[in-house]
RNA sequence: GGGCGCAUAGCUCAGCGGUAGAGCACCUCCCUUACAAGGAGGUGGUCGCAGGUUCGAUCCCUGCUGCGCCCACCA
């Protein structure tokens, strides 16, 4: 409900852009959705109008999502929904933030920050990704006082005016004589020191690097550790700032800088290269290269590093606690824990939670404005918890009046919003009624399970564990179940840019939710699953089969009150079912839902293909007496368990079939227990039954006869124990195979079945 | 560069010390009183490669190869 994707969607959908300087227009109405991109000029709207458009569109999207989830048969309490942008979530999020602030776990700092120039916001470490990006190595001459050149190599020549030092490794023989001296940058004529630092790599490029404020995170490290000056030239819009930085004082340098002012980074690069070429300081031609560059995962331009004031939540200080929590948490599958550990150990800074965006939970903070009109960031004004949620851009802080906003001696609201994860990380607190419903909270927190995909371990999962640690000194849940992704049929990740996304609603219509769930359940925890319509067809067939089998089993009169299981095959089937119930229950408790489904399914096909066929005649028999009663009772017992076993996977067909003979819902019926056969496993009986009936069928199939065709005799040889078992189900075998004579002969260790078909 | 996972039938995947399994696909057959949007039967594999442990390895160990993912590196 909040975050950059929503903002981008609103921008594209309505063709608008948020312009915070515009006043709110109460008469503003939502523009017609754009049919195609760029069909009309982008309209600037005020922040509040923009947020209203976001709310409008997310409300529509929520309906679509709920429809999909309901259609899919998601079993949740629909009376307890919330939105992460709603008042309740905002209140929880702001309260948790204020608590962190009071404990010193949240703080603000002015620091170089990774910045997306497209979205114009800071981004966090967890939201970075590397992408291959084309560039070129430029070999550039700096100048010593004696006129000798010092060559550096850079892929970002446009940052030349932001250069604050040259850096080489302290052990590098080539530059020993230069350390402590200064050199002059080409074109811009700025004198910069040559400094030694171990992070410089001798083998890379020329072995000596140009440190700029800021080209990359190594620059930030050097700048911080070597206390270098700041010469910022890239603005938050990704363009070269209008004014040259301090230190770029020479007339020629300023003239050159003027040529760059206002240009994009890309254009500035071309211009600087032109200037270098003209001055003779470009050594050779640029050499094309492709190297990984940091991007915001949702952005389309490389990140810049700009200095700005941001809010952070401490995480580095809690690394050990986080690792310990990772140990306590039960991971499904267990190996996914490695990603978490890897992430926690690799944290290189505190969590940056402020975003310079609009549609999100605002920071509940104002600042006094001093007599010179400057905000005093070091002494924020905070609301009481009972006032939450607040929007500092429209609510007035305690002790002030609205007409003091932005005035000297007055106040300003913090303009930033929180990162989406800063609120989503409180999912358990929001849902469990933290600080608002103590009884519910006591019953539900920590929660049992976090189900999520593995790609957001470093964001959602990590942040949730961190917040529960900081706020509740506990895990947020006991188990984490990591699902894989749905891949397209070529096993590529589905993504909008590739255009290979399949939305679920059409599938639900085409194959039925049961079929789609059947396919999805075949994706084991942690394993990616290729999109496979074939599996959905099988799921659909399974659901149909369950309906048909239920119809058949229920077509017989209800067994009499005193009916008992008297026949060996019925007893054996029920005892096998008991085993399956036990295994399935165990698998589900271990989060092995795929194994659970496999076991139920395997039994169910035996039940349909062999058992039903074998007892059919006996169940039909009007004068069958106890044997018929036994079959009819066994059918109902088995059906009751099977419908409940399948219910979590195939909620619709099971509910339908259950309704044919029960009043309540199958989904609130008790989970089946392994007591259908009242103890004792006669599994070998059904194995032998299947073997025998298969042999009879094979004989008919080989002879290209119908399955109903009569059999003159079946002669079974083998060990006495097996023959005894087979004898006990002889009546069913004869009826199902249409067998005239069934003979047994104890002989040898191996079971042999000879089938003599009747003459045609 | 570090880590994790995967490699088994044409395809999708189970199995994991004791003679290789399922479904799909393919082939053959069957309108049979739950089901033809069905059903029955069948063909098909030196379980990635090389070593080791073991009486015995698809399974355990080591190395290699290939694929995927996560992280790091970004002068």
């Amino acid at each position: 409900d909040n975050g950059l994707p929503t903002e981008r969607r609103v921008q594209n959908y309505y063709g608008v852009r948020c312009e915070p300087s515009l006043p709110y227009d109460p008469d503003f109405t939502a523009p017609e959705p754009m049919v195609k991109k760029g069909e009309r000029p982008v309209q600037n709207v005020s922040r509040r109008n923009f947020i209203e458009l976001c709310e409008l569109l997310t409300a529509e999207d929520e309906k679509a999502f709920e429809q999909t989830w309901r259609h899919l048969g998601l079993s949740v309490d629909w009376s307890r929904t919330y939105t992460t942008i709603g008042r309740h979530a905002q209140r929880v999020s702001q309260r948790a933030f204020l608590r962190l602030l009071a404990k010193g776990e949240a703080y603000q700092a002015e620091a170089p920050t990774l910045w997306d120039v497209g979205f114009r916001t800071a981004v966090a470490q967890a939201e970075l990704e590397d992408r291959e990006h084309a560039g070129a190595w430029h070999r550039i001459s700096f100048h010593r006082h004696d006129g000798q050149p010092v060559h550096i190599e850079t892929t970002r020549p446009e940052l030349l005016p932001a250069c604050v030092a040259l850096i080489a490794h302290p052990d590098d023989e080539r530059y020993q004589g230069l350390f402590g001296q200064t050199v002059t940058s080409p074109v811009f004529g700025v004198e910069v020191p040559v400094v030694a630092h171990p992070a410089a790599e001798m083998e890379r490029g020329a072995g000596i690097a140009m440190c700029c404020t800021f080209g990359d995170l190594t620059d930030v490290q050097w700048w911080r550790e070597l206390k270098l000056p700041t010469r910022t030239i890239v603005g938050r819009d990704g363009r070269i700032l209008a004014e040259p930085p301090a230190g770029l004082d020479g007339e020629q340098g300023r003239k050159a800088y003027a040529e760059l002012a206002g240009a994009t980074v890309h254009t500035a690069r071309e211009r600087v290269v032109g200037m270098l070429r003209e001055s003779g300081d470009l050594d050779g031609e640029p050499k094309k290269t492709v190297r990984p560059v940091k991007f915001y995962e949702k952005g389309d331009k490389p990140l810049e590093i700009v200095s700005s004031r941001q809010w952070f939540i401490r995480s580095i200080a809690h690394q050990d606690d986080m690792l310990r929590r990772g140990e306590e948490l039960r991971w499904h599958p267990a190996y996914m824990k490695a990603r978490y550990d890897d992430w926690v150990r690799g944290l290189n800074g505190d969590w940056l939670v402020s975003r310079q965006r609009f549609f999100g939970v605002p920071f509940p903070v104002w600042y006094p404005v001093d007599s010179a009109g400057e905000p005093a960031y070091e002494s924020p004004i905070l609301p009481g918890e009972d006032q939450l949620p607040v929007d500092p851009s429209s609510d007035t802080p305690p002790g002030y009046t609205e007409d003091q906003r932005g005035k000297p001696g007055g106040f300003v609201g913090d303009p930033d919003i929180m990162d989406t994860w800063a609120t989503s990380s409180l999912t358990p607190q929001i849902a469990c009624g933290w600080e608002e419903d103590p009884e519910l909270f006591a019953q539900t927190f920590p929660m049992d399970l976090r189900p999520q995909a593995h790609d957001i371990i470093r964001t959602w999962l990590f942040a949730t564990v961190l917040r529960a640690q900081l706020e509740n000194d506990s895990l947020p849940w006991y188990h984490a179940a990591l699902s894989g992704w749905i891949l397209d049929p070529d096993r590529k990740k589905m993504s909008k840019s590739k255009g290979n996304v399949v939305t679920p609603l059409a599938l639900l219509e085409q194959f039925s939710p049961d079929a789609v769930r059947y396919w999805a359940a075949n994706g084991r925890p942690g394993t990616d699953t290729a999109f496979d319509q074939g599996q959905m067809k099988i799921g659909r067939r399974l659901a149909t089969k369950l309906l048909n089998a239920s119809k058949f089993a229920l077509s017989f009169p209800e067994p009499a009150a005193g009916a008992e299981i008297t026949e060996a095959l019925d007893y054996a089937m029920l005892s096998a079912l008991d085993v399956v119930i036990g295994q399935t229950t165990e698998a589900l408790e271990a989060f092995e839902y795929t194994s659970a489904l496999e076991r139920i399914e395997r039994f169910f096909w035996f039940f349909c293909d062999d058992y039903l066929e074998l007892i059919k005649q006996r169940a039909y028999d009007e004068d069958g007496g106890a044997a018929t009663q036994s079959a009819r009772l066994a059918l109902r017992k088995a059906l009751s368990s099977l419908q409940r076993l399948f219910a979590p996977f195939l909620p619709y067909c099971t509910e339908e079939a259950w309704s044919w003979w029960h009043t309540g819902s199958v989904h609130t019926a008790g989970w089946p227990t392994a007591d259908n056969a009242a103890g004792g496993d006669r599994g070998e009986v059904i194995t032998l039954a299947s073997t025998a009936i298969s042999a009879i069928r094979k004989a008919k199939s080989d002879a290209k006869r119908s399955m109903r065709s009569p059999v003159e005799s079946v002669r079974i040889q083998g060990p006495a124990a097996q023959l005894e078992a087979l004898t006990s189900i002889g009546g069913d075998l004869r009826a199902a195979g249409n067998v005239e004579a069934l003979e047994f002969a104890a002989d040898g260790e191996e079971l042999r079945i000879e089938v003599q078909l009747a003459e045609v």
Side-chain angles (χ1 to χ4, degrees), chain A residues 424-659:
Chain A
S424 293
S425 59
L426 296 165
T427 308
Q429 288 84 353
I430 295 168
C432 296
W434 174 61
E435 298 290 286
E436 302 189 5
D437 187 342
E439 196 183 338
L440 179 69
F441 193 75
Q443 286 176 355
T444 55
F445 188 94
M447 299 178 106
D448 290 318
L449 171 67
R450 157 62 61 83
Q452 63 163 77
H454 54 62
D455 56 332
I456 50 175
I457 289 174
R458 64 175 178 168
T459 48
W460 198 27
L461 192 150
F462 167 77
T464 310
V465 174
L466 176 66
R467 298 304 291 276
Q469 171 67 19
L470 294 179
E471 194 53 56
N472 311 95
D473 195 23
S474 88
L475 276 175
W477 1 255
Y478 300 110
H479 298 270
L482 286 309
S483 70
W485 285 332
I486 294 166
L487 306 176
D488 77 5
D490 298 326
R491 304 201 65 80
K492 297 273 181 292
K493 189 184 176 186
M494 289 189 183
S495 73
K496 276 190 210 159
S497 56
K498 286 193 204 125
N500 60 351
V501 172
V502 179
T503 52
L505 212 50
L507 294 175
L508 297 176
E509 301 288 355
Q510 188 183 349
F511 295 101
S512 86
D514 284 349
V516 173
R517 291 170 67 108
Y518 173 84
W519 157 72
N522 278 290
R524 298 181 121 75
T527 307
D528 296 342
T529 310
F531 177 74
D532 184 0
Q533 299 206 344
Q535 283 296 114
M536 292 180 204
K537 286 182 191 156
I538 297 165
R540 193 178 169 83
R541 192 177 62 142
L542 176 63
T544 306
K545 193 81 172 176
L546 184 71
L547 291 174
N548 279 322
S550 297
K551 185 175 86 181
F552 175 69
L554 296 172
S555 67
F556 301 105
E558 211 172 321
E564 285 177 4
I565 301 298
T566 56
E567 301 303 298
L569 186 60
D570 300 336
Y571 185 79
M573 181 276 292
L574 289 173
S575 70
L577 173 60
D578 283 345
V579 172
V580 169
I581 291 171
Q583 289 174 335
T584 302
T585 305
E586 201 176 316
L588 284 174
E589 281 174 350
F591 298 84
E592 302 280 351
Y593 48 83
T594 305
S595 306
L597 176 56
E598 269 178 3
R599 291 193 175 113
I600 305 163
E601 203 182 352
R602 198 184 312 141
F603 178 84
F604 178 64
W605 285 109
F606 152 77
F607 179 76
C608 292
D609 293 343
D610 292 347
Y611 179 75
L612 289 186
E613 294 301 327
L614 282 163
I615 58 100
K616 193 178 274 183
Q617 298 304 321
R618 179 153 54 86
Y620 272 126
D621 192 350
E622 293 294 330
D623 310 313
T628 294
Q629 291 294 308
S630 174
R632 292 176 178 179
L633 179 62
L635 281 175
R636 287 183 180 243
K637 277 177 169 249
L639 191 64
S640 170
S641 288
L642 280 168
Q643 288 180 349
R644 285 178 287 160
L645 288 170
F646 271 128
F649 302 96
L650 311 173
Y652 285 94
C653 69
T654 49
E655 182 75 335
E656 170 65 17
W658 187 261
S659 76

Side-chain angles (χ1 to χ4, degrees), chain A residues 186-241:
Chain A
V187 177
F188 298 94
V190 178
E191 199 165 307
V192 298
V194 181
V195 192
H197 191 280
E201 296 175 37
M202 289 190 255
E203 294 78 21
R204 181 185 224 121
I208 186 163
M210 163 173 91
C211 173
C212 306
T213 52
F214 296 96
D216 60 37
L217 291 173
T218 316
D219 285 345
V220 175
Q221 184 190 357
W222 286 329
W223 168 82
R224 184 183 293 129
E225 294 180 13
L226 301 171
K227 301 202 179 347
L228 296 167
T230 310
R231 294 195 184 116
T232 304
I233 66 161
V234 179
R236 296 181 178 196
D237 56 359
R239 290 173 181 272
I240 306 299
L241 294 171

Side-chain angles (χ1 to χ4, degrees), chain A residues 157-158 160-161 188 260 268-277:
Chain A
E158 72 278 12
L160 194 54
F188 298 94
L260 307 178
R269 180 175 310 161
E270 289 175 350
R271 290 185 186 163
V272 168
V273 169
M275 294 173 190
L276 286 167
R277 196 171 272 138

Side-chain angles (χ1 to χ4, degrees), chain A residues 396-408:
Chain A
T396 313
Y400 290 85
T401 54
E402 187 56 30
D403 59 356
Q404 291 178 284
R405 185 181 291 274
K407 306 252 173 70

